[in-house]
Amino acid sequence: MATSKLKAVNILLSVIGEAPVNNLTPPLTGDASLAERVLDEISTEVQSSGWSWNTRIYYLSLIHI
C-alpha cells in the first residue's frame, strides 16, 4: 500500500519525537519543513536511479573507413 506524503512526513517527525502535522500547506516551520525537504531529496534520489528492468545499455563502436 502506498504511503501519502503527509503520512511519510509524520513518520519522520515521530522518529524524532515531534508531534504530527495535519497538512503540508505552506508555510511549514521547523522540523516539519525539514522532514518534507529530506523526504523530497530522498524521493528524487531513489526515483532517478536506473534499475536493471527499466534501463537500456547501448554499446557503440566506432568504425574507421
Side-chain angles (χ1 to χ4, degrees), residues 17-34:
E18 292 294 320
V21 292
N22 293 326
N23 59 58
L24 297 176
T25 306
L28 292 176
T29 58
D31 292 327
S33 177
L34 179 59

Side-chain angles (χ1 to χ4, degrees), residues 28-62:
L28 292 176
T29 58
D31 292 327
S33 177
L34 179 59
E36 184 179 31
R37 281 197 317 267
V38 168
L39 180 64
D40 288 341
E41 288 175 23
I42 298 302
S43 178
T44 299
E45 183 179 320
V46 169
Q47 292 182 55
S48 65
S49 296
W51 302 99
S52 61
W53 42 266
N54 73 352
T55 303
R56 290 187 181 171
I57 298 173
Y58 294 94
Y59 296 98
L60 301 175
S61 62
L62 298 176

Side-chain angles (χ1 to χ4, degrees), residues 3-16:
T3 299
S4 70
K5 187 174 183 179
L6 176 61
K7 186 173 181 179
V9 166
N10 283 330
I11 289 169
L12 291 173
L13 289 172
S14 72
V15 168
I16 61 170

